Amino acid sequence: MSETQNREQLTTSGGAPVGDNQNSITAGSRGPTLIQDVHLLEKLAHFNRERIPERVVHAKGAGAHGYFEVTNDVSPYTKAKFLNKVGKRTPVFTRFSTVAGERGSADTVRDPRGFAVKFYTEDGNYDLVGNNTPVFFLRDAIKFPDFIHTQKRNPATNMKDPNAVWDFFSLSPESLHQVTILHTDRGIPATYRHMHGFGSHTFKWTNEEGNSVWVKYHFKSEQGIKNIDEETGNKIAGENPDYKTGDLYEAIEKGSYPSWKVYVQIMPLEEAQTYRFDPFDVTKVWSQKDYPLIEVGRMVLDQNPENYFAEVEQAAFSPGRFVPGIEASPDKMLQGRLFAYSDAHRYRLGANHEALPVNRPRVQVNNYQRDGLMRFDGNGGGKPNYEPNSYGGPAEDPNSKGAPLEVSGYADSVRYDESDYYTQAGDLYRLLDNEEKARLVKNIVESMKTVEKDEIKLRQIEHFSKADPEYGQLVAEGLGLKVPEIV
Ligand code: NDP
């Protein structure tokens, strides 16, 4: 038997057998090439269209399939079906990422890491689109595009721009807590397996009786925390920019499945009114002394994707993808993300991106949305495409409605409470031992030393000083500057 007899037939996209995939059709042996070679045309044309727009943020990522298993009964707090029984398992797909770099950028840079989990539940998909940090730089989505511009490339030089980074941070003091976390040892996790994950925002859980609580999610790595320093990160970035991508893939391939213990903090609904700060402000954590961690379950990643583009590049997570029992909170940053993520996917992947295999819910989807580019399922067949209708189209279930939330106030462009940018950044600083503090200061000084304007450096030093006078003093010394007088 010849070798070709054991192989599948090569076909055109139209399914017709291809006779020759090595030699284009030419007029004689020296050409020119004939336009009637439609197989050649199709090959070249498809190749030109291989790239889809990369994500503006979180472009470089790695992902894996696995499961989530409930280990503690949280049904008194939420009616989410996938959480209603100890031992229940739900398939997940999880994507880790860096934030600022492009698709080909290095894995080992100082940057927050994305930590996005898609739960394929019996009530449809639930996406928890978090980071490896419990807080964020901003708390109002209106600042997000400006912030990301400072993390990307300078419009003139097309290079990363520390001036823009520190100018923006120093003029946006709500960023100080996250800036501090980012420059601690945890700012460069050794691998995607050795970092925690956080839902970061506050969410609402509602139980069968219609009673709600506020929650925050914590995923604690069962591999433990492991970090690398800047020098090691830079060295690995030069030698193997895909280091963490490879680490995740190889660990799963070897059967060493990474896992995370999942916890929540729960705040009674009414305590949000009286807590000492706005609990929906994503630049702040809830003290674990006030709201201790409650175990929920365990996430295990045990299967690599078979195809990176199909499963990782096309994976579309949205913080607005909730299931009954889990809802949004008033967090203004979350509110902006509820729109922005699905909108990004509509741009990158099209209006029907939820029908792609990695995004497709594992339950039947019934609605009145029809048509659109790349509608590749049955498009609802002949079923009614409008509601109300008398023809048996899908009907709503009032039990799946979210719990009502009382709100008050005037519609206005209102600032968050500005009274405290500093306490929690200072708490974190004081939690570090002396060596960790020294490394934090060194990392900040290294990043700030190329900033051109002293005015920017001094403004930022003032913020560090307000968090903790020693913190400000050490950064100022590292930069050869004096702490400005704080009024
Ligand atoms: P707690 O002592 O109860 O909690 C401290 C938390 O800090 C633990 O979750 C610990 O995580 C984490 N942590 C330790 N070292 C670092 C680090 N280098 N970078 C980031 N996190 C670290 O205190 P509070 O709840 O009062 O919080 C104090 C400070 O801890 C906060 O200001 C915040 O910056 C930080 N933090 C708080 C979290 C929270 O949910 N309250 C979550 C993460 C950080 P681990 O057990 O894994 O070491």
Side-chain angles (χ1 to χ4, degrees):
M1 207 155 36
S2 79
E3 202 201 318
T4 48
Q5 278 176 308
N6 288 327
R7 293 167 55 184
E8 288 174 339
Q9 171 69 55
L10 178 71
T11 71
T12 63
S13 302
V18 170
D20 192 331
N21 193 35
Q22 301 302 310
N23 303 293
S24 45
I25 300 174
T26 54
S29 64
R30 294 192 171 191
T33 305
L34 302 185
I35 202 164
Q36 71 185 48
D37 190 349
V38 288
H39 172 56
L40 167 71
L41 304 186
E42 180 179 285
K43 227 175 142 176
L44 296 179
H46 193 278
F47 177 69
N48 280 344
R49 289 161 179 79
E50 284 184 357
R51 295 291 166 270
I52 59 173
E54 74 170 31
R55 295 167 173 89
V56 180
V57 283
H58 298 275
K60 175 80 185 286
H65 299 271
Y67 63 88
F68 171 79
E69 182 170 340
V70 178
T71 56
N72 188 27
D73 181 19
V74 289
S75 57
Y77 302 112
T78 176
K79 64 180 177 187
K81 285 188 191 145
F82 78 106
L83 295 174
N84 70 2
K85 199 161 171 259
V86 171
K88 188 181 259 193
R89 280 192 182 188
T90 298
V92 299
F93 181 74
T94 299
R95 181 176 183 268
F96 307 108
S97 51
T98 52
V99 178
E102 294 86 0
R103 262 199 66 190
S105 59
D107 288 341
T108 52
V109 292
R110 187 171 301 285
D111 204 7
R113 299 301 189 273
F115 194 112
V117 186
K118 186 180 289 297
F119 300 81
Y120 301 94
T121 90
E122 63 215 86
D123 255 346
N125 290 352
Y126 171 49
D127 290 355
L128 187 62
V129 196
N131 279 330
N132 70 327
T133 58
V135 296
F136 194 61
F137 299 94
L138 310 171
R139 49 192 177 174
D140 191 324
I142 202 166
K143 296 183 76 168
F144 189 77
D146 301 285
F147 165 60
I148 293 301
H149 286 169
T150 72
Q151 303 292 305
K152 293 279 187 179
R153 294 174 183 277
N154 177 288
T157 64
N158 198 35
M159 291 173 41
K160 292 290 175 77
D161 184 355
N163 287 301
V165 168
W166 290 102
D167 194 22
F168 185 87
F169 284 156
S170 67
L171 292 167
S172 307
E174 71 270 31
S175 63
L176 188 69
H177 192 186
Q178 174 81 320
V179 166
T180 302
I181 291 179
L182 183 63
H183 290 87
T184 65
D185 294 344
R186 295 190 190 194
I188 316 183
T191 78
Y192 288 133
R193 298 177 296 126
H194 293 93
M195 64 185 201
H196 297 332
F198 300 90
S200 304
H201 302 288
T202 298
F203 295 95
K204 190 161 74 137
W205 272 7
T206 300
N207 68 11
E208 287 289 359
E209 287 73 47
N211 300 318
S212 303
V213 290
W214 302 117
V215 291
K216 276 188 184 283
Y217 296 87
H218 299 244
F219 286 57
K220 294 238 178 195
S221 169
E222 292 193 317
Q223 293 67 243
I225 292 278
K226 239 196 229 173
N227 307 303
I228 50 179
D229 61 28
E230 197 103 15
E231 289 73 27
T232 312
N234 289 341
K235 186 166 175 290
I236 297 174
E239 289 167 354
N240 179 8
D242 307 320
Y243 175 78
K244 287 183 197 177
T245 307
D247 171 84
L248 180 69
Y249 193 90
E250 281 155 27
I252 293 174
E253 225 38 29
K254 278 196 292 222
S256 172
Y257 303 138
S259 57
W260 285 260
K261 263 275 181 57
V262 182
Y263 301 85
V264 285
Q265 289 176 284
I266 292 191
M267 177 185 288
L269 210 62
E270 56 286 357
E271 286 182 23
Q273 307 299 330
T274 52
Y275 196 46
R276 60 178 179 277
F277 55 82
D278 178 350
F280 310 122
D281 173 351
V282 70
T283 66
K284 294 187 172 70
V285 294
W286 301 350
S287 169
Q288 293 178 30
K289 293 167 198 89
D290 298 340
Y291 299 102
L293 299 184
I294 299 169
E295 186 177 320
V296 181
R298 190 165 172 260
M299 179 177 81
V300 180
L301 300 180
D302 61 0
Q303 195 196 322
N304 275 318
E306 276 181 29
N307 184 281
Y308 182 86
F309 181 85
E311 291 155 77
V312 187
E313 190 61 11
Q314 294 198 122
F317 299 89
S318 170
R321 195 56 67 209
F322 293 117
V323 291
I326 308 178
E327 298 163 41
S329 78
D331 175 337
K332 297 179 196 180
M333 193 66 215
L334 171 63
Q335 293 282 325
R337 295 179 76 211
L338 298 178
F339 160 73
Y341 280 64
S342 288
D343 188 56
H345 304 314
R346 288 180 200 111
Y347 168 63
R348 295 183 65 238
L349 303 164
N352 290 309
H353 62 271
E354 295 290 11
L356 290 164
V358 69
N359 302 323
R360 198 165 51 215
R362 307 277 164 94
V363 294
Q364 199 173 321
V365 173
N366 303 309
N367 58 37
Y368 296 96
Q369 291 155 20
R370 294 291 186 273
D371 308 353
L373 277 180
M374 302 305 295
R375 184 81 201 216
F376 47 80
D377 60 5
N379 194 31
K383 292 185 204 154
N385 60 358
Y386 62 91
E387 202 187 25
N389 68 73
S390 323
Y391 295 93
E396 63 208 17
D397 166 18
N399 290 329
S400 300
K401 272 175 66 173
L405 179 69
E406 191 183 335
V407 294
S408 63
Y410 294 97
D412 193 4
S413 303
V414 188
R415 280 171 178 263
Y416 264 99
D417 169 22
E418 285 181 55
S419 56
D420 190 4
Y421 303 124
Y422 304 108
T423 305
Q424 293 200 351
D427 288 346
L428 177 61
Y429 178 79
R430 291 180 284 275
L431 183 129
L432 306 176
D433 67 29
N434 284 342
E435 285 171 8
E436 286 173 306
K437 282 180 183 162
R439 290 195 293 272
L440 164 69
V441 169
K442 177 171 174 271
N443 293 332
I444 290 172
V445 169
E446 282 300 309
S447 174
M448 284 181 73
K449 71 182 183 197
T450 53
V451 172
E452 285 159 6
K453 288 188 176 184
D454 278 355
E455 172 198 328
I456 294 175
K457 294 183 197 165
L458 291 168
R459 194 162 53 217
Q460 187 64 34
I461 288 169
E462 192 173 325
H463 297 315
F464 293 133
S465 295
K466 286 181 179 167
D468 191 288
E470 180 190 80
Y471 187 11
Q473 181 63 37
L474 292 175
V475 174
E477 277 170 23
L479 290 170
L481 293 167
K482 272 205 170 128
V483 178
E485 217 167 289
I486 294 170
V487 280

